[in-house]
Structures are given as C-alpha cells and as structure tokens.
Amino acid sequence: MHPSQVLFQDQLTPVMLPVCDHYAGSEKLMRKSMQLQSELGPCFDITLDCEDGAAAGNEAAHASLVAQLINSEDNRFQRIGVRVHDLDHTAFSQDLRLILPAAAKKLAYLVLPKVSSARQVAEAIAEINDYAAQSGRTELLPVHVLIETHDALADVMAIAALPQVECLSFGIMDFVSSHYGAIPGDAMRSPLQFSHPLIVRAKLEIAAACHRYGKVASHNVCTSISEPAAAGQDAAQAFSQLGYTRMWSIHPSQITHIVNAMSPTDTETELACAILLQARAASWGPIQYAGRLHDRASYRYYWTVLKRAQLSAKELPAQAHVLLEGDSQ
C-alpha cells in the first residue's frame, strides 16, 4: 500500500498545501505574480483578490478579469485561488456569478472573508457549489475561510469541521481593529503579535481547530514590505511556536523568505526519506533507525515532512520518488 493510504487508515488524512499564499489585487500585480509562479514553480499559491486588495467601484469588471486570468495559459499549475467580497457585500453573489461558471474548473480554491459563523459559511458553500457546477467542475471546490471577527473566532471549531473547508487564515488587522483600541495597533505586527495575550489566544484557537480536523492554518500578513526578511522571521515563529504551516505574502519579495522558513530543511527531508524507505521495506511495521524506535506514529510525521518538502518544490533525495509515486493526496 502507498504511504498516504497505509499511514492514515485509522487517522484523519490532513490537507497539504504550499506553505505560502501570495495575494495580489491589481491587474499589474496579478499578472506579475503569475509570471513569478511560472518561473519559481508551484512552491506558492496565488490568491487573486476581489476584496480589500482590489480597487473599489469597478467590481464587475475586476471579477471578469479574474476569471479571464484563471482561464489563461499563464495559470500553468492551477494553483491560483480567488478571494471574493464578504458575504454581506452586494458584490458577493456577483463575484460568484462572474467567476465560477466561467473558471471554476481551473480554480484551486475560493476564499471567504469576514464570516460570522459556521452556518453562514455552509450557506455560502451551497451557493458556491451551485455556480461552480455550471462550469462542469465535478469535484467540490475547496474553500478557505478568513477568521477575523469575534463571532467567527467563537465558532472556529465548527467552521473547521465543515468538510469543504480546507484552510483557515487569521485576519489580524481586522481582528485588532474590532477591539476599538483595547489592543494597541503595534499588535498587528511583530514582536507584539506573538506576545499579546488576546492575539496569541486567537491564533492558537485557529491552529487548534485546524489540526483537530486536518485543515491548514494560514498565518496573517507581515506588513514590513521594505524588509522582506521580516516575513520569513514571522513565518518561522508562527510555524515553530503556534503550529501554522502556511502564511500570506503581500509582496513578491516576501515569497521566498516564507517558503524557506516554513519548508523542511534538506537534513529533515533526507532523514524523513531514509526512515520511510526502511519502514516501507518492513511493510510499515516498527523499525530501529539510528538507535531509535519508529512506528506508524512517527512515520505519519515524517510523511508530512516529505510532502511539505515536495509542495515547496525543494530538491528531494534521489529515492523519494519511490515513496511519492502514485500519491493520491
């Protein structure tokens, strides 16, 4: 049996996504991002933005442009998603109507911002599915949800439990603003974003909900555009301390820093490959490697290390193909 099957027979199979989600809202930046993805490979996703990252007042034309870009030859890897307007906005249904019937077949995911409850997300998903089906798409379109309100945070477990939801992102700027000055503005960035109790609590609850249901926890933006390395530092801290395995990018210079910070090192990848190959030879029974006992519990960990390295387009050990060939994930 393939590792992705044998290791998760009695376990929830986790969603695995590229570690970086790059947002772009203007036509110039969207096209530039697609060109960069073509050059670097699918080590990061692109989210074409119809909401806060796009200019106001031209919503219909912008949504039509997004559909055109998703369907274009520049979408080489089909790892491009779209963030639509919030569910209470007059342009929400318009976004779905203009984008999904035309482009859902090549869309990687759809992002819902400013949600308030699992029930609201479920209702939105039903509408999304109706429009996506018009494109001829047969599989359900993955949905990513932004947690940036008090109500959404209070219902985060139920939101993560929805089967079609594959990723939850923390919207730190809206969340801090919703406290009306009770949280200082400096908490929108480092170092306070990793120490303020209300911010850390929110991030941990989102991460815990994601890991309970096998979904991806995506960390908020780093606004230090002039210092792209700061995004990598935030990503490393979010991964090592809070359990986030993905992070937003808002500038092309941040992408490689985030990818490098959240991807396994070569040493980690080589160790994972060696242990998994020995386990495979033992029909996935217990083994001893470098004086340590390993069984399916540790194999699941090392399988996720190998998959994260693959999704980050890292150079893999020579024999990794033996493990990855025929992967169903």
Side-chain angles (χ1 to χ4, degrees):
M1 294 179 67
H2 194 275
S4 64
Q5 297 172 309
V6 70
L7 299 182
F8 296 97
Q9 290 183 78
D10 57 349
Q11 299 282 329
L12 189 67
T13 303
V15 174
M16 304 290 287
L17 295 173
V19 299
C20 182
D21 181 6
H22 179 65
Y23 271 66
S26 70
E27 179 175 2
K28 176 183 176 181
L29 294 178
M30 290 190 292
R31 292 187 183 277
K32 181 177 180 180
S33 300
M34 294 172 74
Q35 177 61 35
L36 186 60
Q37 189 186 59
S38 180
E39 295 170 2
L40 297 179
C43 61
F44 68 98
D45 284 343
I46 299 170
T47 298
L48 305 182
D49 198 1
C50 292
E51 199 216 12
D52 290 349
N58 201 24
E59 288 81 6
H62 188 78
S64 296
L65 172 63
V66 164
Q68 175 189 333
L69 292 175
I70 293 167
N71 279 329
S72 72
E73 293 182 356
D74 293 329
N75 184 6
R76 289 183 55 195
F77 308 106
Q78 295 190 26
R79 288 306 312 171
I80 298 177
V82 58
R83 175 167 70 166
V84 295
H85 286 84
D86 69 83
L87 282 63
D88 294 324
H89 196 286
T90 56
F92 170 71
S93 292
Q94 176 179 265
D95 287 343
L96 301 188
R97 187 178 71 252
L98 293 174
I99 296 171
L100 296 183
K105 288 182 74 173
K106 296 183 69 175
L107 191 63
Y109 53 85
L110 186 141
V111 184
L112 296 175
K114 298 180 177 65
V115 305
S116 60
S117 67
R119 179 178 178 179
Q120 185 190 41
V121 174
E123 291 173 352
I125 287 174
E127 188 173 357
I128 289 166
N129 290 343
D130 286 343
Y131 281 112
Q134 296 175 30
S135 72
R137 185 183 179 109
T138 55
E139 70 276 14
L140 295 175
L141 178 65
V143 172
H144 297 192
V145 180
L146 260 165
I147 306 298
E148 47 193 337
T149 67
H150 296 292
D151 289 341
L153 184 62
D155 211 21
V156 70
M157 281 288 178
I159 295 171
L162 293 170
Q164 205 164 328
V165 171
E166 71 171 13
C167 176
L168 299 184
S169 298
F170 182 46
I172 191 170
M173 299 175 78
D174 281 286
F175 186 76
V176 170
S177 297
S178 69
H179 287 76
Y180 302 109
I183 300 178
D186 284 348
M188 294 183 187
R189 59 192 71 89
S190 295
L192 197 55
Q193 67 164 319
F194 290 109
S195 61
H196 192 285
L198 288 175
I199 300 298
V200 173
R201 166 197 167 242
K203 291 184 179 184
L204 289 175
E205 290 194 13
I206 292 168
C210 285
H211 294 301
R212 178 179 180 182
Y213 292 105
K215 310 302 174 67
V216 174
S218 185
H219 196 257
N220 54 267
V221 301
C222 172
T223 56
S224 299
I225 295 175
S226 62
E227 300 178 17
Q233 294 165 6
D234 285 354
Q237 197 163 357
F239 175 77
S240 64
Q241 295 183 8
L242 302 177
Y244 281 73
T245 57
R246 181 171 165 101
M247 180 170 158
W248 285 30
S249 158
I250 55 172
H251 192 277
S253 64
Q254 294 180 336
I255 293 172
T256 55
H257 290 281
I258 294 170
V259 171
N260 290 336
M262 285 191 156
S263 301
T265 64
D266 291 342
T267 300
E268 291 171 326
T269 305
E270 290 168 3
L271 175 62
C273 188
I275 290 173
L276 290 170
L277 286 169
Q278 187 172 325
R280 181 177 181 269
S283 298
W284 304 105
I287 64 167
Q288 182 184 138
Y289 184 87
R292 296 184 183 276
L293 175 69
H294 292 280
D295 59 18
R296 293 189 191 182
S298 58
Y299 300 158
R300 280 189 285 272
Y301 167 79
Y302 288 112
W303 174 247
T304 61
V305 170
L306 187 61
K307 284 294 296 178
R308 284 173 43 232
Q310 181 191 35
L311 289 169
S312 298
K314 294 179 69 73
E315 185 174 350
L316 300 177
Q319 289 187 288
H321 72 278
V322 174
L323 297 161
L324 294 166
E325 187 176 359
D327 183 18
S328 60
Q329 291 185 333

